[in-house]
C-alpha cells in the first residue's frame, strides 16, 4: 500500500470516527434536552464530545521509536518520553534541542547557516544536539513530505546513519510547495549518498512508514511548547529558547552557557570536597586532648605500683 493510500485511509478513519461521535452527541443531546430542557445538559455533552473526539483522533499506544533515542529532559516537555535522536556526547554541558521539519524552508536555512557552527560545538564536546523531526508543514499546507522524510530519517537512525542522511536531505531539500519528499522512491534514492545505508532493510522501513506515529508525537510535543505559534525550527539550549541571529553569536552564546555550567559544577565539586575534608579532619585541641589522655592512662603512679 502506498504512503498516500495509507494517509488517505487514516484520514478517512478519523473522519468516520468523528462523524460517529457527532451522531452520538446529537442523539444524546436530544435525549438530554427532552429530559432536562436546560443549557447545562448541552454544555455537559459538549465537553463529553470534545473528549471523545480527542480520543478518537489521538493514538493511545506509545509510538514505535527508532533505535537509541533518548529522553530530552530539557526540551520543553515536562514529561520526557525518549523522543530525541542524539548527536554528540551525552556528557556535553549544553543540550541543544531542535524541533525541525525536513520539508520546512526555514529549517533548511537554519541548517545552511548554522550547521557548521553546531557541528564544531558537538565535535568539541560542548554541545549534544537532540533532534525531534516533526510534520508541521504537512499539517499546515497539506501533503506528506514532512512525515515521509522524518520517517526515512528515523529509519537511517536504526542503521546508525541519521546524521549523514539528515545532512543529505537538507542538501537536497525541495521547495515546500512541491512536496518532493512525499515520494518514497526519492527518499530511498538518497541512501545511495550515505555509505552503508542503501540496503533492503532501509528501503522496507521507508516504504512501511514505520515511524510515522513517532513523528506525529514529536509534533504534538512541539505544540505543547509553542502553543498557538507553532513554528520550525524551534531551538532550546538547556531548556531556554534560542533566538537565532548569526552563527558567531550562536557559538558565543552556547560557549558562555557551557562555561557557566562547568563553573557551577566545579564550585559544587569543590564545596563537596571541602565538606568531606572538614568532616574527617581532627582539630588540634581534640588531638592534644587525646594525646594527654593516652599519656595519663599509660603512666602508672608509684603507689599503685607498690600495691
Amino acid at each position: 500500500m502506498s504512503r498516500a493510500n495509507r494517509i488517505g485511509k487514516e484520514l478517512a478513519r478519523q473522519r468516520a470516527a468523528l462523524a460517529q461521535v457527532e451522531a452520538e452527541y446529537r442523539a444524546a443531546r436530544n435525549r438530554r434536552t427532552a429530559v432536562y430542557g436546560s443549557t447545562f445538559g448541552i454544555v455537559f455533552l459538549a465537553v463529553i464530545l470534545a473528549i471523545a473526539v480527542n480520543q478518537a483522533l489521538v493514538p493511545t499506544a506509545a509510538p514505535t521509536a527508532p533505535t537509541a533515542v533518548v529522553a530530552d529532559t530539557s526540551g520543553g516537555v515536562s514529561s520526557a518520553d525518549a523522543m530525541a535522536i542524539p548527536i554528540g556526547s551525552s556528557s556535553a554541558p549544553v543540550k541543544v534541542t531542535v524541533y525541525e521539519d525536513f520539508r520546512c524552508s526555514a529549517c533548511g536555512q537554519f541548517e545552511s547557516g548554522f550547521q557548521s557552527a553546531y557541528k564544531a560545538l558537538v565535535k568539541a564536546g560542548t554541545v549534544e544536539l537532540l533532534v525531534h523531526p516533526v510534520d508541521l508543514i504537512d499539517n499546515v499546507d497539506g501533503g506528506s513530505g514532512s512525515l515521509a522524510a522524518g520517517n526515512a530519517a528515523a529509519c537511517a537512525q536504526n542503521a546508525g546513519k541519521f546524521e549523514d542522511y539528515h545532512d543529505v536531505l537538507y542538501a537536497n531539500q525541495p521547495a515546500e510547495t512541491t512536496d518532493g519528499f512525499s515520494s518514497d522512491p526519492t527518499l530511498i534514492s538518497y541512501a545511495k549518498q550515505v555509505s552503508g545505508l542503501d540496503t533492503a532493510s532501509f528501503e522496507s522501513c521507508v516504504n512501511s512508514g514505520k515511524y510515522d506515529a513517532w513523528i506525529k508525537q514529536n509534533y504534538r510535543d512541539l505544540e505543547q511548547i509553542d502553543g498557538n505559534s507553532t513554528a520550525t525550527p524551534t531551538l532550546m539550549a538547556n531548556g531556554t529558547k534560542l533566538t537565532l541571529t548569526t552563527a558567531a553569536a550562536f557559538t558565543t552564546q552556547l560557549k558562555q552557557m557551557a562555561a557557566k555550567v562547568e563553573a557551577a559544577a566545579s564550585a559544587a565539586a569543590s564545596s563537596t570536597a571541602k565538606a568531606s575534608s572538614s568532616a574527617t579532619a581532627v582539630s588540634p585541641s581534640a588531638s592534644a586532648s587525646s594525646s594527654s589522655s593516652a599519656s595519663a592512662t599509660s603512666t602508672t603512679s608509684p603507689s599503685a605500683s607498690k600495691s
Side-chain angles (χ1 to χ4, degrees):
M1 181 186 297
S2 70
R3 176 177 296 275
N5 286 339
R6 287 198 307 273
I7 293 174
K9 286 196 171 185
E10 175 62 17
L11 290 174
R13 183 193 70 77
Q14 293 181 0
R15 284 194 291 268
L18 179 59
Q20 181 179 354
V21 170
E22 288 177 340
E24 291 174 355
Y25 160 69
R26 286 193 296 270
R29 181 188 59 189
N30 292 338
R31 291 194 300 270
R32 180 74 65 177
T33 302
V35 174
Y36 296 104
S38 67
T39 303
F40 172 77
I42 295 174
V43 172
F44 175 77
L45 288 174
V47 172
I48 297 301
L49 170 64
I51 294 172
V53 169
N54 184 62
Q55 290 177 340
L57 298 181
V58 177
T60 56
T64 299
T67 300
V69 293
V70 298
D72 186 354
T73 56
S74 59
V77 178
S78 58
S79 178
D81 50 7
M83 298 297 288
I85 292 178
I87 297 176
S89 171
S90 60
S91 63
V94 179
K95 310 296 183 183
V96 174
T97 296
V98 55
Y99 287 84
E100 61 180 359
D101 182 332
F102 289 104
R103 186 182 168 192
C104 161
S105 59
C107 296
Q109 291 167 9
F110 163 68
E111 291 294 339
S112 63
F114 293 82
Q115 188 178 97
S116 60
Y118 76 65
K119 281 183 178 288
L121 292 168
V122 167
K123 185 177 181 180
T126 303
V127 162
E128 180 185 27
L129 201 69
L130 300 171
V131 185
H132 299 254
V134 301
D135 60 337
L136 181 142
I137 304 300
D138 290 357
N139 285 280
V140 173
D141 294 336
S144 60
S146 304
L147 188 64
N151 172 71
C155 294
Q157 168 68 4
N158 283 352
K161 304 291 182 179
F162 173 80
E163 184 176 1
D164 291 340
Y165 187 72
H166 164 280
D167 295 351
V168 166
L169 287 181
Y170 277 114
N172 292 276
Q173 186 186 55
E176 284 183 15
T177 53
T178 66
D179 197 19
F181 284 158
S182 62
S183 166
D184 286 348
T186 296
L187 294 170
I188 291 167
S189 71
Y190 290 140
K192 298 182 187 299
Q193 300 181 39
V194 179
S195 176
L197 186 58
D198 185 20
T199 63
S201 60
F202 175 77
E203 181 174 347
S204 174
C205 182
V206 171
N207 286 327
S208 71
K210 182 176 182 179
Y211 300 112
D212 286 358
W214 178 74
I215 303 299
K216 292 178 181 179
Q217 179 62 56
N218 273 320
Y219 179 62
R220 288 193 291 273
D221 288 347
L222 176 60
E223 288 182 310
Q224 289 185 47
I225 299 165
D226 284 348
N228 295 326
S229 58
T230 305
T232 50
T234 288
L235 289 101
M236 284 167 283
N238 288 353
T240 300
K241 274 197 175 183
L242 293 176
T243 299
L244 299 175
T245 53
T246 66
F250 174 80
T251 298
T252 298
Q253 183 178 9
L254 295 180
K255 283 184 175 180
Q256 289 174 345
M257 185 175 289
K260 288 181 180 179
V261 171
E262 289 169 341
S266 177
S270 176
S271 177
T272 300
K274 286 180 180 179
S276 176
S277 176
S278 297
T280 57
V282 179
S283 66
S285 59
S287 177
S289 175
S290 296
S291 175
S292 175
S293 175
S295 176
T297 301
S298 62
T299 300
T300 304
S301 67
S303 59
S305 176
K306 288 178 182 179
S307 63

